[in-house]
Amino acid sequence: MSACPRPEGRATLVGCGPGDPDLLTLRAVKAIQSADVLLFDALIDPSILDFARPEVRRIDVGKRCGRHAMQQAAINALIVRLARSGAHVVRLKGGDPFVFGRGGEELASLRAAGVPVTVVPGVTAACAAAASLQVPLTHRDVARSVHFVTGHGADGAIPAHDWSALVRSGGTIAAYMASRTLALVAARLMAAGMAGATQAVAVENASRANERRLFSTLAELPDVLAAAGFEGPTLVLIGAVVGLANDVIVTERLAA
Ligand code: SAH
């Protein structure tokens, strides 16, 4: 009797969108349903895990108390090890896997290890927040580009963006991971010539039942946001398109 060939393992990096399961793609749901192992972190709404088979192995690799529960290198190694054991490993990522969130590093380590890998795109936080507020990110004649920037740099500093170029472009700025550094981000943008009166909004938990929004101006939003004490994931949109928002809209959640 010949030995059973070892099943070939594989990995799928799945963009799970901003939280509301209704914003998962069908491809994301199919990947989750076919997973042997699910790796997830704090950006993943727990209800998304309900799509998995009951016997799936669930591993929480998330950050806790501002510290990485698991270092990125350890996560990369774990995905490779599990896939090599023959499992279909599904790594759930918040939003889109390739918009911040280090999906590229996981991809690189899987490729280096020769593990077959597939990537499923997801709704990134900026698009989810824009849809929820009805802010057309690139409304013609108001903004001709949209810039996804991170406000998170090493040691609480902010990244060395080309602030002048950002301001000159006149595009909408979608700032990720910027709630703690927003005062510095705003100061850099204003020093580069952006008007303090430019409209800006912070959206916490975009698409979720506990979504909150704070509309203000570039000059004032940092103080307003600090006073509000948003603790959940928060996205900041800056630019004239914010003035097109429909603030009175209460996001309707589709009945299941
Ligand atoms: N890959 C993710 C981003 C990961 S970086 C994406 O495409 O959306 C983490 C940052 O994303 C958070 O600090 C926050 O700025 C933003 N974010 C993620 N989910 C969010 C949500 N539901 N509401 C608001 N901001 C969110």
Side-chain angles (χ1 to χ4, degrees), residues 64-90:
R64 296 224 180 78
C65 308
R67 302 182 69 117
H68 289 275
M70 224 175 164
Q71 295 296 324
Q72 186 65 48
I75 296 173
N76 298 349
L78 179 62
I79 303 174
V80 168
R81 186 166 60 73
L82 291 166
R84 279 188 172 154
S85 75
H88 178 204
V89 185
V90 171

Side-chain angles (χ1 to χ4, degrees), residues 99-100 124 126-127 137 146-150 161 166 172-176:
V99 179
F100 306 117
T124 193
C127 295
L137 290 174
V146 57
H147 306 267
F148 294 172
V149 303
T150 171
H161 298 304
L166 277 173
T172 304
I173 295 175
Y176 289 71

Side-chain angles (χ1 to χ4, degrees), residues 118-138:
T118 311
V119 181
V120 179
V123 177
T124 193
C127 295
S132 177
L133 304 179
Q134 298 194 1
V135 166
L137 290 174
T138 58

Side-chain angles (χ1 to χ4, degrees), residues 196-240:
T198 304
Q199 309 217 41
V201 62
V203 188
E204 180 195 40
N205 291 314
S207 87
R208 299 182 187 201
N210 55 352
E211 176 181 306
R212 293 194 288 172
R213 307 97 176 256
L214 287 173
F215 285 89
S216 186
T217 60
L218 177 62
E220 290 175 7
L221 187 59
D223 284 347
V224 171
L225 180 60
F230 281 11
E231 295 288 341
T234 299
L235 192 281
V236 177
L237 294 175
I238 302 165

